[in-house]
Amino acid sequence: MILHIARKEMLEMRRDGRFQIASAIVLTLLCVSLAIGWQQYMAISRQHELARAETRNQWLTQGQKNPHSAAHYGVYAFKPRSPLSLVDRGADNYTGVAVWLEAHKQNEFKYKPARDANTLARFGDLTASSVMQLLIPLLIILMSFSAFAGEREQGTLRLLLSMGVAKDKLALGKALGVAGGLGVLLVPAALIGSAALILASETGSFAANLPRLSWMATSYVMYFAAFIGISLAVSAVAKSARLALVCLLGFWIFNGLAAPRLFSDLSRAVYRTPSSFAFSQRMEAELKTGFDEVEFKKSVLARYKVSKLEDLPLNYAGLSLKAGEDHGNEVFDKLYAELWDIFEAQNRLQQQGGIVAPLMAIRSVSMGLSGTDFAQFRDFSVTAEKYRRAFIDVMNTDIANAPKTEAPHLGDKNLWAKVPAFEYTSPSVGTVLSQQAWSLGLLSIWALAASIAAGWAATQRLKAE
Amino acid sequence: MIPTIARHEWRLLKADRTLAAVVTLLALLVGFSLYNGSSWVEFQRQTLDAAKAEQTKRISRLTQDLAAIEEGRMQPKSFQDPRSAGAIGGTSAAPYLAMPPAPLATLAIGQSDLYPYYFKLNLRSKQAILANDEIENPTNLLAGRFDLAFVLVYLFPLVVLALGYNMISAEREQGTLSLALSQPVTMAQLVTGKVLLRGGLLLGLVVAFTLVGALATGVDVSSQTVWMRLGLWMVLMTLYTGFWFGLAILVNTYSTSSATNALSLAGAWLALVLVLPSIANLIATSVYPVPSRVEMVQAMRTAGKDAQSRGSMLLSKYMEDHPELMPAGEKPQVDFASVTYAVQIEVDKQVQPILDRFDKQVDKQQEFVDGFRFLSPAILAQSGINDLAGTSLGRYKHFSGQVDGFFETWKNYFLPKIFQKVKMRSAEIAQLPAYAYAEEPDSQILSRVAVVLAGLAALTTIIFGIAYSRLKRVSIAS
């Protein structure tokens, strides 16, 4: 019986010209956005790969110089794109792509791609994720707003119920019908997406991305299930199909359009971001205090039980540079942690917006699994900063241990090669899932609650007249 | 006749609960969005004030230090002489170049959260200055702001459509359409009366709420430019509201049910406001892709490394080209500061073509989407509102042009002094080149907004033309 109903629903959809056009448009947009996402991903990651090799080469072939000037010359770290960013670009366009790793300073990431974008970019990127987060829910609403209310208006509901069709079976059949209609659309799109991902991944790394991909698929299924449930519930309760449509469209607009901006502005009002000016002033002030060169000199002399710097077994310059670096690192750790904790608090508040707007939850999960959210940007920044500290330390250790001669101490190829190339591996799927626990929980609650609501509305509140 | 229809419409609307809901909703949306806009403007003002204060303090300390050295009360350190032109122009007297928020900035945050509104000058490369920007959570930049422009461009059309989707169809469904038309009134008059009343009401509400909100959040309305901008903004809103009412009439002329009308209009809104801009953006980024800036970073480093290795040669070459800069009675002497700047000049020269290539590609992309915007009233309205609020890309380009110009002035003032190893005096500090932001002339804003208004007027006229020409075909009874 359930399957009969589902088949009838799908048949009706197939015969409805409006639905056909709408699905064709959505499917086209989905495929086009995947294809272009893939092409742009390939182009950008090739550029980053080249730049990465180039910056390493520049470091190795910088010639003979004082290790401290080499530290000042530094290297660049470029944020790699994750292959899944072809599905969801997330905040990638709004984070800088390059950071200069140099002595004394933890620099900001520079060059946000958004600053090179045209003015339409702020209307939103057309990516597979935006199609799935915005347009497919709309399609679900169109498919199901008249599921019960429409049958009632046409008088067929009375007929159905008189034939002894159980209401719960009717609801399940309708839900399956909508899901089937969606499946016709999404399965080919998912195949194309996976194919694009395989093409985008180097050999072997597709398997590494598979857990992320399957979690992503599961999350989107929950998101769609929530919308099917809500639509059917409203359709069963509403007095007329028109009213059901208006209510559902209202919810869709709130969910897709108003909520992201609303919660972003609310989170900014609750957790205030300092201005770049205030941040850098504070950093300058903290770097200036807390490290006293004279005191440090005394403590070094005391530690090695000598009275003159010349009698030290090591070069004082190296020790002093190291101590300066240590002090700076303390300040950077404190200030950047504070700043990033503000961002994370803002993002948490936005995730909690998922209580009223499921989009906030799926957006966060989708970005997280794509590796394009702030948390993974932070992870990359921290890794780059660790690398900076390690290679600066190699330079300073070399200065400290250099033979004490009149001639200036120079580092060469061998010293540069002591610094390993910068490698970054993105966090495991487990880490991402634990960061997204809130959102995943909310999504499953939405899916469950909406299904229960649909079942309840269909069995308890559905009236033939 | 039309006033009579409008009067009757008013009575009907007043009796309906919809009106109260619309008024409350609009008041809340406008209020919240203006609050967001004004808090962002306040944030920028405070930041600029703090920067200004820091600059004043820094320069007065410098002046005191120089005076102390001149009077012999202080001995300059040999490696960090505060009198050196490099130290003064590069750090201790380096000004902040600021673009204060425009008078109506509360109306639209626009691109102002993406582009810097002030720069701290130095004597290094232009890139090092321009690459700085305000700290912001990338997730917030992605979402965009809940500002008045968002309410007006995205949400307001939905309110218009909610009031207009059943203008004719509801009368037909209630059976009152044939009754009304049995009076000495034409369909066109009936529709005009309805649109004038509903449109006038909505527009009046939005304008009134915005003006009250703007005054409450401290917009200074005393200057002429503010009134010009507000006037243009009202014209823009009238045309934009008109477009959506025109669309509602057009859909109504197809004699379909109210529910179908609502669906079609929602679809049109989705296409024009959300989908079309994204597609245009997608096409633009595929046709004119802007490469990642990493390429530029690497090119700059290669140029820098190359120039560095030829540092002293570059300096002597520069001195040969500019013999007037030779320190009096000296042979060209290789000192660190002079080499650094000679290298910098060379790097800038080499990097300029790469920067130009980026700018050209970005400009091409922008030109492409500028042509595209005439297809969607939402894009037109957004760009017009941004221009009037002073948060458009146009104004940022105007500003960065000024920054470029002043950077040249600043370098031309200091670099010769660096090469000549001049020790600057305290009296000179007050005479340094000074920067003040020159606002875009009204005529320039007007010329940009005029294009937008012309585009909107054309779209609105076309849609009304088609809709009115179809009115005769509307069926009276269902």
Side-chain angles (χ1 to χ4, degrees), chain A residues 47 74 116 265 268 276 350, chain B residues 134 136 140 146 293 301:
Chain A
Q47 289 163 14
D116 284 330
D265 270 316
R268 289 170 45 86
S276 159
Q350 295 181 28
Chain B
E134 189 54 273
E136 179 57 290
N140 291 342
F146 205 110
R293 286 270 172 183
R301 255 168 102 74

Side-chain angles (χ1 to χ4, degrees), chain A residues 47-48 54 58 61 73-74 78 115-116 118-119 122 242 261 265 268 276-277 346-347 350, chain B residues 96 111 113 130 133-134 136-137 139-140 145-146 165 281 292-294 298 301-302 305 365-366:
Chain A
Q47 289 163 14
H48 282 224
E54 175 88 22
Q58 280 168 343
T61 60
Y73 179 63
F78 303 109
R115 272 182 67 178
D116 284 330
N118 64 70
T119 43
R122 300 310 285 282
R242 194 174 120 197
R261 293 174 190 250
D265 270 316
R268 289 170 45 86
S276 159
F277 177 76
Q346 291 179 346
N347 292 348
Q350 295 181 28
Chain B
Y96 293 95
Q111 301 285 77
D113 55 349
L130 292 182
D133 43 24
E134 189 54 273
E136 179 57 290
N137 180 351
T139 326
N140 291 342
R145 295 285 185 80
F146 205 110
Y165 77 101
N281 178 31
S292 171
R293 286 270 172 183
V294 298
Q298 281 314 110
R301 255 168 102 74
T302 311
K305 195 176 154 193
Q365 212 185 73
Q366 188 58 41

Side-chain angles (χ1 to χ4, degrees), chain B residues 31-100:
Chain B
F32 180 61
S33 60
L34 280 178
Y35 165 76
N36 287 330
S38 74
S39 67
W40 171 235
V41 169
E42 194 45 41
F43 178 88
Q44 293 180 61
R45 290 220 173 96
Q46 279 173 4
T47 306
L48 292 182
D49 285 348
K52 185 89 201 159
E54 191 271 333
Q55 178 184 330
T56 314
K57 213 174 100 192
R58 180 158 41 86
I59 290 181
S60 80
R61 192 167 49 216
L62 170 69
T63 317
Q64 283 167 14
D65 283 357
L66 293 190
I69 292 172
E70 282 152 21
E71 290 160 19
R73 286 183 281 120
M74 198 168 116
Q75 279 302 313
K77 291 182 200 157
S78 60
F79 65 98
Q80 245 180 351
D81 191 339
R83 294 170 300 174
S84 82
I88 292 176
T91 43
S92 55
Y96 293 95
L97 312 185
M99 176 177 70

Side-chain angles (χ1 to χ4, degrees), chain B residues 121-304:
Chain B
L121 211 59
N122 57 43
L123 284 171
R124 293 195 305 266
S125 74
K126 194 166 74 189
Q127 269 309 300
I129 300 172
L130 292 182
N132 287 307
D133 43 24
E134 189 54 273
I135 293 177
E136 179 57 290
N137 180 351
T139 326
N140 291 342
L141 287 176
L142 169 70
R145 295 285 185 80
F146 205 110
D147 60 350
L148 186 68
F150 167 68
V151 171
L152 297 180
V153 173
Y154 286 75
L155 305 181
F156 185 62
L158 290 165
V159 181
V160 170
L161 296 181
L163 279 190
Y165 77 101
N166 59 359
M167 258 188 301
I168 303 177
S169 58
E171 295 253 10
R172 184 173 50 242
E173 280 156 15
Q174 293 159 7
T176 47
L177 188 59
S178 49
L179 218 61
L181 291 178
S182 68
Q183 308 288 318
V185 59
T186 62
M187 185 66 116
Q189 283 173 327
L190 187 68
V191 169
T192 311
K194 279 172 181 282
V195 167
L196 280 182
L197 190 269
R198 294 176 195 211
L201 193 70
L202 279 185
L203 207 57
L205 283 173
V206 157
V207 169
F209 287 151
T210 304
L211 287 182
V212 170
L215 286 174
T217 51
V219 168
D220 176 22
V221 287
S222 57
S223 70
Q224 209 182 343
T225 175
V226 173
W227 284 107
M228 181 202 79
R229 286 167 195 241
L230 274 176
L232 289 172
W233 175 77
M234 282 183 221
V235 175
L236 184 145
M237 280 313 295
T238 310
L239 290 171
Y240 191 56
T241 315
F243 175 85
W244 292 103
F245 267 113
L247 197 68
I249 304 173
L250 180 63
V251 167
N252 265 283
T253 62
Y254 285 89
S255 310
T256 44
S257 70
S258 295
T260 312
N261 289 352
L263 266 184
S264 316
L265 286 169
W269 171 84
L270 183 76
L272 291 173
V273 176
L274 289 184
V275 180
L276 213 60
S278 306
I279 292 181
N281 178 31
L282 199 68
I283 298 175
T285 50
S286 311
V287 178
Y288 302 106
V290 178
S292 171
R293 286 270 172 183
V294 298
E295 201 181 303
M296 183 197 77
V297 170
Q298 281 314 110
M300 278 163 68
R301 255 168 102 74
T302 311

Side-chain angles (χ1 to χ4, degrees), chain A residues 258-431:
Chain A
R261 293 174 190 250
L262 178 69
F263 286 109
S264 153
D265 270 316
L266 281 179
S267 71
R268 289 170 45 86
V270 177
Y271 305 103
R272 301 223 170 241
T273 313
S275 70
S276 159
F277 177 76
F279 185 75
S280 58
Q281 288 293 109
R282 220 183 116 202
M283 177 149 325
E284 221 171 275
E286 298 224 356
L287 284 175
K288 265 188 202 151
T289 54
F291 178 64
D292 188 346
E293 180 81 39
V294 179
E295 283 301 311
F296 177 72
K297 208 179 275 181
K298 272 189 210 156
S299 75
V300 169
L301 293 175
R303 200 185 328 148
Y304 289 96
K305 300 194 178 66
V306 290
S307 54
K308 290 195 313 253
L309 289 179
E310 291 77 51
D311 300 338
L312 283 173
L314 299 164
N315 281 309
Y316 176 72
L319 297 178
S320 154
L321 280 170
K322 270 189 183 203
E325 222 31 76
D326 287 345
H327 168 62
N329 293 348
E330 250 170 63
V331 174
F332 301 137
D333 279 343
K334 188 173 104 190
L335 264 68
Y336 275 101
E338 269 177 36
L339 178 69
W340 289 338
D341 285 347
I342 293 178
F343 289 177
E344 293 208 335
Q346 291 179 346
N347 292 348
R348 239 185 341 267
L349 192 145
Q350 295 181 28
Q351 281 189 39
Q352 284 157 6
I355 296 172
V356 286
L359 177 98
M360 299 309 292
I362 187 70
R363 194 182 69 151
S364 173
V365 171
S366 174
M367 274 201 277
L369 289 168
S370 300
T372 54
D373 64 344
F374 172 71
Q376 278 162 90
F377 172 71
R378 180 177 184 168
D379 183 70
F380 181 77
S381 312
V382 170
T383 314
E385 175 62 11
K386 269 192 200 140
Y387 177 77
R388 180 186 82 85
R389 292 178 188 182
F391 97 75
I392 299 292
D393 197 56
V394 173
M395 295 301 115
N396 290 341
T397 309
D398 184 75
I399 297 173
N401 295 331
K404 292 190 166 191
T405 52
E406 284 297 302
H409 170 60
L410 296 179
D412 58 12
K413 272 207 304 262
N414 296 329
L415 177 61
W416 314 148
K418 264 193 204 165
V419 176
F422 176 60
E423 294 290 342
Y424 175 70
T425 37
S426 41
S428 70
V429 68
T431 315

